[in-house]
């Protein structure tokens, strides 16, 4: 119900797709198709990196965790979105909204950390090849992945507490299809200053800082590549990190644009378009990028198919 002047809001109404009318049906099937492709594609990457010994390297260890996070990240949003597309008045309890925001932040920031770890892995492999086995030993890889999940837990906890300790006594209508940070902040009936400061601090610490570290890593990689004598040699070295670079630009590009727009006056339509892109579309690209552009993964796929489907 809508909260009065002294009554706390007991449920939120998600109006993200309320104005789409007859387009809600096609949108439902389109989102469902993309979601299934995302689950199948990322599951395939996890299977390949576990089953093929040639992919038991630090880079594919990180990629396996990244694929798992992609599935968890989009699953925090898409099933609920699909149900709301079929509902005439989609509502969500504050506790469910809190849970969605918590895990959405956790998995998203953990992905930022993993992309940074993957960039460091490429830096160590290309710029410091003689020390690679020492720098990227199994213990170091596990610690890096653990740090990524810890970053996610800290972010999810901070965001959720800063936002849901605010009072909600006015309107209960969220002009979005998920409980994201800015749309929920707009409903608070008290000052959102500390919520916006917390959002900015998290953005700088766990989005812009990892992105900066990735840029530094690739600057060092570029210097090393330019030192390779032949064009074919440069192309071969760059091909080992081109897939990761594409995913980085896609992921951090949409995330930075979305979360650096702090003001409550930012366009709600832009919020929804960006959120639809980075929650539904972007996770689908990961399997295609790492299978179509990666010879090691495509080779592992052929070996797996030959072993289990074409074996006599």
């Amino acid at each position: 119900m809508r909260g009065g002047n002294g009554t706390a809001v007991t449920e939120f109404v998600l109006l993200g797709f309320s104005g789409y009318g007859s387009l809600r049906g096609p949108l439902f099937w389109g989102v469902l198709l993309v979601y299934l492709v995302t689950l199948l594609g990322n599951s395939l990457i996890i299977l390949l990196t576990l089953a093929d010994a040639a992919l038991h390297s630090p880079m594919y260890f990180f990629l396996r965790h990244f694929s798992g996070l992609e599935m968890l990240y989009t699953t925090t949003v898409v099933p609920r979105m699909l149900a709301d597309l079929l509902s005439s008045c989609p509502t969500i309890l504050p506790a469910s909204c809190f849970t969605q925001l918590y895990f959405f932040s956790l998995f998203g920031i953990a992905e930022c950390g993993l992309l940074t770890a993957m960039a460091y892995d490429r830096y160590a492999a290309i710029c410091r090849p003689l020390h690679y086995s020492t720098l990227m030993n199994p213990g170091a890889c596990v610690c890096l992945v653990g740090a990524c999940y810890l970053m996610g837990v800290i972010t999810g906890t901070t965001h959720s507490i800063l936002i849901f300790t605010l009072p909600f006594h006015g309107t209960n209508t969220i002009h979005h299809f998920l409980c994201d940070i800015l749309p929920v902040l707009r409903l608070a009936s008290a000052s959102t200053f500390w919520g916006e400061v917390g959002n900015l601090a998290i953005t700088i610490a766990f989005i812009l800082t990892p992105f900066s570290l990735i840029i530094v890593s690739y600057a060092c990689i570029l210097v090393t590549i330019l030192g390779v004598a032949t064009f074919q040699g440069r192309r071969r070295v760059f091909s080992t990190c081109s897939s990761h670079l594409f995913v980085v630009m896609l992921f951090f590009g949409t995330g930075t644009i979305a979360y650096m727009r702090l003001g409550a006056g930012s366009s709600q339509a832009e919020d929804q378009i960006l959120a639809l892109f980075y929650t539904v579309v972007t996770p689908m690209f990961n399997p295609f990028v790492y299978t179509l552009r990666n010879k090691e993964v495509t080779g592992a796929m052929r070996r797996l198919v030959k072993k289990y489907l074409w074996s006599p």
Side-chain angles (χ1 to χ4, degrees):
M1 62 176 286
R2 178 188 296 271
N5 289 335
T7 306
V9 169
T10 57
E11 66 180 12
F12 295 112
V13 179
L14 295 168
L15 292 184
F17 298 113
S18 60
Y20 284 65
S22 59
L23 292 177
R24 294 173 69 176
L27 185 60
F28 172 88
W29 292 110
V31 170
L32 178 61
L33 177 62
V34 171
Y35 180 57
L36 292 176
V37 171
T38 299
L39 294 182
L40 290 173
N42 284 287
S43 297
L44 177 61
I45 287 182
I46 293 173
L47 175 63
L48 288 173
T49 56
L50 285 172
D52 197 289
L55 302 183
H56 291 175
S57 65
M59 181 174 71
Y60 295 108
F61 173 75
F62 295 134
L63 178 59
R64 181 163 63 248
H65 281 272
F66 185 76
S67 294
L69 282 172
E70 287 277 60
M71 291 192 292
L72 293 171
Y73 178 70
T74 194
T75 298
T76 62
V77 176
V78 173
R80 174 98 206 177
M81 183 195 305
L82 293 173
D84 290 345
L85 281 169
L86 299 177
S87 173
S88 58
C89 185
T91 60
I92 185 171
L93 296 174
S96 299
C97 193
F98 175 95
T99 303
Q100 185 182 60
L101 179 60
Y102 174 79
F103 284 106
F104 184 70
S105 300
L106 190 162
F107 297 137
I109 294 300
E111 284 188 276
C112 291
L114 273 173
L115 287 171
T116 309
M118 292 165 76
Y120 178 70
D121 173 75
R122 292 299 82 207
Y123 160 79
I126 296 172
C127 301
R128 304 188 64 183
L130 297 180
H131 300 90
Y132 180 75
S133 60
T134 302
L135 293 172
M136 302 304 297
N137 64 75
C141 293
V142 170
C143 288
L144 284 171
V145 170
C148 295
Y149 287 112
L150 180 60
M151 284 169 50
V153 170
I154 292 172
T155 303
T157 303
T158 303
H159 274 327
S160 303
I161 290 177
L162 283 175
I163 293 174
F164 282 92
T165 51
L166 294 170
F168 294 89
H169 297 305
T171 180
N172 67 337
T173 302
I174 299 176
H175 293 275
H176 212 317
F177 58 81
L178 77 153
C179 290
D180 206 353
I181 298 164
L182 296 178
V184 176
L185 269 178
R186 292 189 182 106
L187 301 185
S189 52
S191 172
T192 61
F193 174 76
W194 289 112
E196 293 185 357
V197 168
N199 180 53
L200 179 61
I202 292 297
T203 300
I204 293 173
F206 293 146
I207 296 180
L208 294 183
T209 299
F211 184 66
S212 299
L213 293 174
I214 291 172
I215 294 298
V216 171
S217 297
Y218 274 102
C220 296
I221 289 171
L222 179 61
V223 171
T224 301
I225 290 175
L226 293 177
V228 177
T230 65
F231 173 78
Q232 290 298 327
R234 294 174 186 174
R235 184 177 180 180
R236 184 175 62 254
V237 173
F238 181 74
S239 67
T240 64
C241 51
S242 59
S243 299
H244 173 257
L245 187 58
F246 178 82
V247 173
V248 165
M249 299 306 296
L250 197 64
F251 185 89
F252 280 96
T254 54
T256 301
I257 292 171
Y259 290 103
M260 284 301 289
R261 300 178 309 118
L262 291 175
S266 59
S267 169
Q268 294 171 354
E270 290 177 1
D271 288 346
Q272 293 182 35
I273 293 172
L274 280 169
L276 189 65
F277 191 79
Y278 64 71
T279 58
V280 179
V281 180
T282 300
M284 180 186 66
F285 284 130
N286 180 48
F288 291 104
V289 171
Y290 278 100
T291 53
L292 299 178
R293 295 180 57 86
N294 190 304
K295 293 181 179 179
E296 291 180 325
V297 175
T298 53
M301 191 182 305
R302 292 192 195 97
R303 289 190 293 271
L304 189 67
V305 170
K306 185 177 179 180
K307 179 177 180 181
Y308 292 102
L309 298 180
W310 291 349
S311 58

